[in-house]
Amino acid sequence: MRQTRVAVVGSANMDLVGTAPALPRPGEAVLGSEFVMLPGGKGANQAVAAVRAGASCVFLGAIGSDAFGVTLKARITAAGVDTSQLRVVYGASGVALVLVGAAGENAILVTPGANGAFTGLTAAELAAVREADVLVAQLEVPVETVTEAAVAARAAGTRVVLNAAPARPVPAELLAAVDLLVVNESEAHTLTGRGLDEPTALLELVPRAVVTLGGNGAWYVDRAGHATHVPAVRVDVVDSTAAGDAFTAALAVAWGEGRELLDAVRWAAAAGAACVRRLGASVALPYRAEIDELYARPA
């Protein structure tokens, strides 16, 4: 099997993660139980997840000139991701404040930092996109940059997977370049204005879509008439922070390897399940053997 070449356009953040018995309500202080500082950001997470799932991956994004930036690049590179195109811009790196409750639920505040300055793709960055089998992008960097990358990918025959997170309006030019859209329930509602009972509404925007439902699995729909629910793999949940990133990356890798998309969604569901068993974002992202083990479990 040929190794999938993935290009990821997205964010890199330093995740400051605190755990507590319950998430605080507005105005409330809660005594926490643990604190860790870990590299994260949806782009960096998905790049690392793609490598662990078996792909080669180049990451296109921006980090700051601060100490967080130094650590971020070192950790992403050590994970096997090609960071030769990772920009360093003067100022602060992106930071995510992550609160995790005892049941694995989380609340996240992201300050973009250098991610917000990632604009105007260079010739080398565009070449990396065109040479990939699959482009994976999210919406934690300027949407103009994501659009530029997606349009270049589409013109070169590179498949475009858009994880439209966080929830925000997506321009028509970007949607027109998307081959596969990955969203959760709230993101799907932001794009369509409709509820989960109508996942096929996304097909008015893109030819294929996956709606992730956390512990309830995922829906896969396409314009060929498929509308299939894929159940979640049952595991003990510790932290769901990076589950969506593990899912999206595994889905892109499997599709790039030539799997039928519905089977790729099932493999991606196993990746998401493997991820939630550990605390943290990038450190919880599963390796291929872990994904295969859960994928092989009887339904």
Side-chain angles (χ1 to χ4, degrees):
M1 181 184 298
R2 187 176 67 83
Q3 187 179 43
T4 301
R5 298 169 299 174
V6 175
V8 173
V9 171
S11 59
N13 297 321
M14 187 59 76
D15 289 351
L16 309 179
V17 184
T19 62
L23 299 180
R25 297 185 295 270
E28 180 185 21
V30 172
L31 185 63
S33 54
E34 187 177 357
F35 172 79
V36 291
M37 188 171 70
L38 302 164
K42 295 192 73 63
N45 287 345
Q46 291 179 17
V48 172
V51 170
R52 291 187 177 181
S56 65
C57 182
V58 59
F59 177 47
L60 310 179
I63 52 176
S65 56
D66 56 1
F68 284 166
V70 174
T71 302
L72 282 168
K73 183 170 185 178
R75 295 288 290 274
I76 297 168
T77 303
V81 177
D82 179 354
T83 57
S84 61
Q85 301 300 324
L86 182 58
R87 298 185 194 178
V88 178
V89 300
Y90 182 77
S93 298
V95 173
L97 306 177
V98 184
L99 304 179
V100 182
E105 74 279 18
N106 62 69
I108 305 173
L109 171 67
V110 178
T111 57
N115 296 302
F118 182 46
T119 57
L121 294 177
T122 66
E125 290 166 340
L126 289 170
V129 167
R130 296 186 183 107
E131 291 166 3
D133 298 309
V134 184
L135 170 69
V136 178
Q138 324 78 33
L139 299 176
E140 287 185 342
V141 296
V143 70
E144 296 82 6
T145 305
V146 177
T147 301
E148 184 181 7
V151 169
R154 168 56 66 87
T158 298
R159 288 171 170 170
V160 178
V161 176
L162 176 65
N163 178 205
R168 60 192 288 189
V170 178
E173 184 182 10
L174 173 54
L175 290 170
V178 171
D179 294 296
L180 175 62
L181 180 71
V182 181
V183 288
N184 63 21
E185 295 175 73
S186 64
E187 293 151 2
H189 179 73
T190 295
L191 290 174
T192 66
R194 303 183 201 177
L196 182 60
D197 56 335
E198 297 182 82
T200 54
L202 291 165
L203 300 179
E204 297 173 11
L205 307 175
V206 294
R208 306 167 192 85
V210 175
V211 182
T212 59
L213 310 172
N216 292 321
W219 275 98
Y220 169 70
V221 296
D222 64 29
R223 289 177 180 168
H226 296 101
T228 305
H229 178 257
V230 175
V233 179
R234 297 301 171 192
V235 295
D236 293 330
V237 178
V238 175
D239 180 5
S240 62
T241 300
D245 296 332
F247 181 101
T248 300
L251 178 59
V253 172
W255 195 24
E257 290 176 349
R259 296 191 191 217
E260 293 294 329
L261 256 174
L262 187 55
D263 184 54
V265 174
R266 294 190 176 103
W267 199 67
C275 183
V276 302
R277 298 184 295 185
R278 291 190 290 270
L279 176 67
S282 60
V283 295
L285 298 167
Y287 290 89
R288 190 179 185 97
E290 299 174 82
I291 302 171
D292 285 340
E293 184 269 324
L294 289 182
Y295 173 78
R297 280 189 184 180

